[in-house]
Amino acid sequence: MTRPVRPTMRDVAARAGVSQALVSLVFRNAPGASPATRERVFRTAEEIGYRPNLAAQVLRRHRSRHIGVLFTMRQPFDVDLVEAIYPGAQQRGYHVVLGALGPGRDERHAVEELLAYRCEAMILLGPATTAAELAVAAERVPIVAIGWRSSGEGVDVVRAADERGARLAVEHLAGLGHRDILHVDGGDRTGSQHRRRGYERAMRRNGLGDFVRVLGGDHTEESGAAAVRRLMGEKVLPTAIFTSNDRCAHGVLDTLIRTGSAVPGDVAVVGFDDSGVAQLSFIDLTTVRQDVAGMAEAALDAIVERLEQGRTGTRRIVLDPSLVIRSTTAAPKPSR
Amino acid sequence: MTRPVRPTMRDVAARAGVSQALVSLVFRNAPGASPATRERVFRTAEEIGYRPNLAAQVLRRHRSRHIGVLFTMRQPFDVDLVEAIYPGAQQRGYHVVLGALGPGRDERHAVEELLAYRCEAMILLGPATTAAELAVAAERVPIVAIGWRSSGEGVDVVRAADERGARLAVEHLAGLGHRDILHVDGGDRTGSQHRRRGYERAMRRNGLGDFVRVLGGDHTEESGAAAVRRLMGEKVLPTAIFTSNDRCAHGVLDTLIRTGSAVPGDVAVVGFDDSGVAQLSFIDLTTVRQDVAGMAEAALDAIVERLEQGRTGTRRIVLDPSLVIRSTTAAPKPSR
DNA sequence: GTGAAAGCGCTAACAA
DNA sequence: TTGTTAGCGCTTTCAC
């Protein structure tokens, strides 16, 4: 069991015939080394396969330049966000450390782990943690919650204007002539409460207060499927269904089609997020698009402001969603 | 911009009135401290909010106890594996460091990053990297590739018996009376070639050599949808379609249903993986199940063997897949 | 049962 | 332009 001892800066220095400090200089791209030396150091390092020891760097620099990102692998929207965060972080000179949430890995645990890695800041996607718990973590490092509303101090929030998004959906449907528009909500999931409220208000504002109807759900396909199955017991289906996210819409859509309802002929469907599933050619879901790239940028900017510009006040950034009209919506059948 | 200076072991030691070395002892659960001292150290640490500095630990111990896991967030099967790896790694006393692959984040880059974090070993899920490239990385740390075939030395491989899996699918369909069984393959994706070969062989072995037909695809929903659309131009559809993975099967399934074909009435569909999508109630896909838990365990064991038991020879572990019969398969219509 | 001391690989201030 | 030096926070002998 030979431990593969990796070359250190000292080894590079010895081989290149310079001091170890100079090697450090060169690797940090700091000024103060002649081009010739620079070249030689790099070549020597290459030759012996040297790679900087991040642990030593972090220890010495008192900075890790790591940003922790907590997310749920199963949520396509979270994945979209993570993919947008990666390049943005790199641009700003930070590394991303992923913390996956899931069965058996709760938020507390994951936050602790990211803290142990010496993350300088954390981005939380759709966190379920209470404000109080977050505040504790926020004392240690800047925290940005995406898609989450906090009244807690110290936690920056980036989110979509969920209510406006829901209004876009309702007005689109109402504009097509729909009146019996049902909402499958997202329970206590990210943004759900405000999407539901936005739905209710928009319905009333459009004179459809009598048609307001909400079925309980969450942000999974199964909850959408279950909602439609519950509906099947009734004589008439609503002419349109607006769901709290795309995964739920997927369940609604597929279950409708499999039970013989045409979409959008019999029932129109609108989702929320515009995650990958909505964009599949055979799903082609009309949905409320959240500005993923904008959210990622805003979150990173919020972190940089705190880390490098000394901001201390809490920020709340709200981004406007937009409606993406695809093929799951059309005017209701004239017969109704 | 006050840098929040975190308490160190020295601080704990000073406050508890012991030496710093003793605090270290206590935190490592090493023998040699009285219960009273132990208690006091822990209490003091708690009081001042001390948390061990992982960077310092890694630097000093020459061990990070980190295992890097490279995966594709968009592949449900990869996500299943990651979720199985987490608890297994923890049991064995290791931390998991995630490296996400995706657009703009290639394997080389991700491997380099995990290496920089001082990962002691790496698990690669369905890697696209060539053997040669992997061998370079394998010189530094033990590498286990899941679902990948390597002839390269030094890289352990854990995979499903893809050919057998394909045979299970074909024999199930043939047993139901299907003859015209088409395969949508996975191009160069993980396991595809062997699934295709398994399909071809099983067809011939069952006297269906004349019906062998492969449509090119990959492991995405769109490739399944595209395959069905290509098929629509023809007078008759096959009575059964076997795809190289579940996502592709999803595209096949949904496109069939949307274009008016009944499943399994008109066309039977079989996927591969048994990932989350296959288990959705409204998809309920008959599929070839890969033993995710078994693969995760095998990969972790392979790593521990190398790291702690000094194994050096290359291992190849092949796990048997099994057939999960759900509702997308049935006997073909008698008319045909 | 406890403490002193050396040093992991690197950075950064200072000296030459 | 280059070298010297003092640690970062921790682990780990080796004394006491």
Side-chain angles (χ1 to χ4, degrees):
Chain A
M1 186 181 166
T2 55
R3 175 184 297 133
V5 172
R6 299 192 188 175
T8 72
M9 272 192 177
R10 211 190 308 289
D11 301 324
V12 178
R15 204 158 198 276
V18 295
S19 78
Q20 189 247 42
L22 203 45
V23 177
S24 169
L25 242 167
V26 169
F27 266 87
R28 280 176 287 141
N29 265 316
S34 68
T37 312
R38 230 168 252 285
E39 160 67 17
R40 191 147 44 85
V41 166
F42 278 133
R43 229 191 25 247
T44 313
E46 176 79 15
E47 276 168 28
I48 62 175
Y50 166 77
R51 4 208 63 254
N53 184 327
L54 235 128
Q57 271 183 15
V58 168
L59 181 60
R60 185 55 240 234
R61 286 212 250 237
H62 298 280
R63 290 210 59 179
S64 65
R65 302 202 74 89
H66 286 353
I67 296 175
V69 177
L70 242 71
F71 76 116
T72 307
M73 293 185 288
R74 307 249 178 228
Q75 284 296 354
F77 183 68
D78 282 16
V79 172
D80 289 348
L81 270 168
V82 170
E83 290 196 337
I85 289 170
Y86 259 119
Q90 194 173 7
Q91 267 172 32
R92 293 165 174 81
Y94 288 87
H95 296 272
V96 169
V97 182
L98 258 28
L101 263 24
R105 283 188 51 82
D106 64 3
E107 205 148 316
R108 263 188 80 79
H109 186 96
V111 167
E112 284 303 317
E113 189 170 292
L114 292 187
L115 247 28
Y117 284 126
R118 260 17 198 205
C119 284
E120 297 185 43
M122 282 171 32
I123 300 180
L124 274 43
L125 306 190
T129 315
T130 64
E133 280 187 58
L134 275 192
V136 174
E139 277 175 26
R140 312 190 151 283
V141 299
I143 291 189
V144 181
I146 297 191
W148 180 78
R149 289 140 191 280
S150 157
S151 52
E153 275 311 300
V155 177
D156 294 326
V157 174
V158 174
R159 62 176 179 86
D162 292 307
E163 261 195 67
R164 280 198 56 156
R167 202 179 78 201
L168 289 176
V170 170
E171 287 180 350
H172 167 59
L173 291 167
L176 287 170
H178 289 276
R179 294 156 56 81
D180 192 356
I181 305 168
L182 177 139
H183 179 52
V184 181
D185 81 356
D188 59 355
R189 301 312 192 283
T190 315
S192 309
Q193 292 161 41
H194 295 81
R195 290 172 201 173
R196 181 171 54 233
R197 196 201 298 156
Y199 156 81
E200 289 166 356
R201 288 201 183 153
M203 288 293 278
R204 275 187 247 108
R205 230 185 332 243
N206 283 270
L208 303 175
D210 290 348
F211 290 97
V212 167
R213 190 165 158 217
V214 178
L215 250 42
D218 55 32
H219 285 170
T220 66
E221 293 84 358
E222 290 299 353
S223 78
V228 172
R229 281 192 211 108
R230 257 177 289 159
L231 246 28
M232 297 318 291
E234 307 180 3
K235 44 265 145 224
V236 286
L237 289 176
T239 67
I241 299 178
F242 165 52
T243 65
S244 190
N245 88 337
D246 287 343
R247 286 181 66 189
C248 179
H250 180 203
V252 164
L253 193 59
D254 271 33
T255 306
L256 280 171
I257 291 172
R258 279 165 173 74
T259 53
S261 295
V263 176
D266 297 322
V267 185
V269 178
V270 180
F272 206 109
D273 284 349
D274 195 29
S275 58
V277 63
Q279 299 169 32
L280 289 176
S281 64
F282 53 90
I283 304 269
D284 204 38
L285 181 72
T286 295
T287 190
V288 178
R289 182 182 214 294
Q290 298 204 55
D291 180 5
V292 171
M295 287 176 149
E297 288 293 303
L300 289 166
D301 284 340
I303 283 171
V304 170
E305 281 173 15
R306 283 202 191 254
L307 249 28
E308 298 173 12
Q309 287 142 39
R311 173 169 64 79
T312 54
T314 305
R315 285 196 56 178
R316 278 163 222 294
I317 297 148
V318 180
L319 279 85
D320 266 343
S322 54
L323 187 71
V324 181
I325 299 173
R326 295 206 182 87
S327 65
T328 56
T329 48
K333 282 188 183 160
S335 62
R336 303 181 58 188
Chain B
M1 188 178 167
T2 54
R3 175 184 299 134
V5 173
R6 297 191 187 176
T8 73
M9 273 194 175
R10 212 192 305 292
D11 300 326
V12 177
R15 205 159 195 275
V18 294
S19 79
Q20 187 247 43
L22 202 45
V23 177
S24 169
L25 240 167
V26 170
F27 265 86
R28 280 176 288 139
N29 265 316
S34 67
T37 312
R38 231 167 250 286
E39 160 69 16
R40 192 147 44 85
V41 165
F42 278 133
R43 228 191 26 248
T44 313
E46 175 79 16
E47 277 169 27
I48 63 175
Y50 166 77
R51 6 206 64 256
N53 184 328
L54 236 130
Q57 271 183 16
V58 169
L59 182 60
R60 184 56 239 237
R61 285 212 252 238
H62 297 279
R63 291 212 54 179
S64 65
R65 302 203 73 90
H66 286 352
I67 295 175
V69 177
L70 241 71
F71 75 115
T72 307
M73 293 185 288
R74 308 247 178 230
Q75 284 297 354
F77 183 68
D78 282 15
V79 171
D80 289 349
L81 269 168
V82 170
E83 289 195 341
I85 289 170
Y86 259 119
Q90 194 172 8
Q91 266 172 32
R92 293 165 174 81
Y94 288 87
H95 296 273
V96 169
V97 182
L98 258 29
L101 263 23
R105 280 186 55 78
D106 64 4
E107 206 151 311
R108 264 188 78 79
H109 187 97
V111 166
E112 283 303 317
E113 189 171 292
L114 293 188
L115 246 27
Y117 284 127
R118 253 38 200 191
C119 285
E120 296 185 43
M122 283 173 27
I123 300 180
L124 273 44
L125 307 191
T129 315
T130 64
E133 281 187 58
L134 274 193
V136 175
E139 278 175 26
R140 313 188 150 284
V141 299
I143 291 189
V144 181
I146 297 192
W148 181 78
R149 289 143 192 277
S150 157
S151 51
E153 276 309 299
V155 177
D156 293 326
V157 174
V158 174
R159 62 176 180 87
D162 293 306
E163 261 195 66
R164 281 198 55 155
R167 201 178 81 199
L168 289 176
V170 170
E171 288 180 348
H172 167 59
L173 290 168
L176 287 170
H178 290 275
R179 294 154 58 80
D180 192 356
I181 304 168
L182 178 138
H183 178 53
V184 182
D185 81 356
D188 59 355
R189 301 311 192 285
T190 314
S192 309
Q193 293 161 39
H194 294 82
R195 289 172 202 173
R196 180 174 53 232
R197 196 201 299 156
Y199 155 80
E200 289 165 356
R201 289 202 183 153
M203 288 293 279
R204 274 186 249 111
R205 232 190 326 249
N206 283 270
L208 303 174
D210 292 347
F211 291 98
V212 166
R213 189 164 160 217
V214 178
L215 251 42
D218 56 33
H219 285 170
T220 66
E221 294 83 359
E222 290 299 354
S223 79
V228 172
R229 280 190 214 110
R230 258 177 288 158
L231 246 28
M232 297 318 291
E234 309 179 3
K235 46 258 145 240
V236 286
L237 289 176
T239 67
I241 300 178
F242 165 51
T243 65
S244 190
N245 89 335
D246 287 344
R247 285 181 66 191
C248 179
H250 180 203
V252 165
L253 193 59
D254 270 34
T255 306
L256 280 172
I257 291 174
R258 279 166 174 74
T259 53
S261 296
V263 176
D266 296 322
V267 185
V269 178
V270 180
F272 206 109
D273 284 350
D274 196 28
S275 59
V277 63
Q279 299 170 33
L280 289 175
S281 65
F282 52 91
I283 303 269
D284 204 38
L285 181 74
T286 294
T287 191
V288 179
R289 185 182 212 293
Q290 299 204 56
D291 180 5
V292 171
M295 288 176 148
E297 288 292 305
L300 290 166
D301 284 340
I303 284 172
V304 170
E305 280 172 16
R306 282 201 191 255
L307 249 29
E308 298 173 12
Q309 287 143 40
R311 173 169 63 79
T312 54
T314 305
R315 285 197 55 178
R316 279 163 221 293
I317 298 147
V318 180
L319 279 84
D320 266 343
S322 55
L323 187 72
V324 181
I325 299 172
R326 295 208 181 86
S327 65
T328 55
T329 47
K333 281 188 182 159
S335 62
R336 304 179 60 187

